[in-house]
């Protein structure tokens, strides 16, 4: 649904952006597989370079699984990760080129070149993987969930723990659930003004 200005309805954009918060403490019902699927079915449409869609997601639901991750979280992020109902490790697949015949049939032949160009693959996977993490955060909100993204973790440790031999590289850890209001939310900090962010030549 859109307004006459072409923007989504206030309810939608408030829910996704202006009223949405980063959350660190959770409560309420568990996160369902249906909610994860719903978020994926929105996130997957966001654009990536050549449609390579390199984001891969490790779902850690059990206490044992999250305890393995907690070893690699920075101290400030450890307890909230252990306490979260569900944690996602957002990673990027540096071997994304195996899927080019399906995802970019017009560039399928590039898979051969990319096989011999690991640095180019790392760079492409990093850039498009990170932009997909942004889509994922907003898509999880659209699926009715709250998210606590965290960059404070030992990425090399996480990669050895979970992704050995796969070509996946961890990008961001996301705690996911329903906010334990009001404890789970820090007061909103300011944002820069449009004039401080945009410049026009
Ligand atoms: C890439 C990224 C890394 C972050 N790393 C951490 C982190 O390591 N620990 C933490 O507590 N919050 C982390 N955050 C949460 C941010 O501090 C939070 O999203 C930001 O302050 C905006 O808060 P708001 O959504 O409540 O306005 C991270 C967020 C992003 C997007």
């Amino acid at each position: 649904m859109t307004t006459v200005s072409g923007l989504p309805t206030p309810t939608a954009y408030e829910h996704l952006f202006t009223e949405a918060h980063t959350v660190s403490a959770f409560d309420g019902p568990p996160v369902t597989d249906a909610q994860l699927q719903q978020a994926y079915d929105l996130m997957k449409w966001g654009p990536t370079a050549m449609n390579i869609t390199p984001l891969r997601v490790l779902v850690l639901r059990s206490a044992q699984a999250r305890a393995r991750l907690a070893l690699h979280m920075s101290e400030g992020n450890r307890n909230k990760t252990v306490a979260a109902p569900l944690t996602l490790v957002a990673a990027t697949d540096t071997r994304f080129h195996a899927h080019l015949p399906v995802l970019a049939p017009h560039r399928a032949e590039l898979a051969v070149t990319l096989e011999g160009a690991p640095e180019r693959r790392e760079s492409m996977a990093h850039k498009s993987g990170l932009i997909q993490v942004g889509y994922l955060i907003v898509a999880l909100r659209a699926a009715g969930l709250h998210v606590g993204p965290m960059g404070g973790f030992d990425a090399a440790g996480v990669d050895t723990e979970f992704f050995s031999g796969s070509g996946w590289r961890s990008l961001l850890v996301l705690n996911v659930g329903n906010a334990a209001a009001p404890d789970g939310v820090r007061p909103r900090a300011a944002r820069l003004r449009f004039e401080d962010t945009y410049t026009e030549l």
Side-chain angles (χ1 to χ4, degrees), residues 9 23 31 44 72 74 80 92 94 108 123-124 133 148 162 172:
T9 58
V23 166
V31 177
K44 69 184 179 185
H72 307 284
S74 68
K80 57 189 170 191
T92 197
T94 60
S123 161
M124 288 175 72
V133 178
F162 297 109
L172 204 67

Side-chain angles (χ1 to χ4, degrees), residues 189-198:
R191 299 298 197 259
L192 296 179
R193 296 174 312 158
F194 178 87
E195 295 79 1
D196 300 321
T197 307
Y198 281 60

Side-chain angles (χ1 to χ4, degrees), residues 21-22 77 80 149-152 172 186 188 191:
H21 263 282
T22 295
N77 290 331
K80 57 189 170 191
M150 295 166 292
L172 204 67
R186 252 192 251 138
R188 178 75 94 193
R191 299 298 197 259

Side-chain angles (χ1 to χ4, degrees), residues 50-52 97 99-111:
M50 258 171 31
N51 196 36
I52 60 173
H97 57 307
H99 300 280
L100 278 188
V102 171
L103 297 174
H106 59 297
R107 300 300 308 275
E109 83 295 341
L110 192 62

Side-chain angles (χ1 to χ4, degrees), residues 88-91 130 133-134 137 148-153 169-174:
L88 303 178
V89 181
L130 271 182
V133 178
I137 292 170
M150 295 166 292
F153 65 94
R169 306 274 188 275
S170 54
L171 295 171
L172 204 67
V173 176
L174 313 175

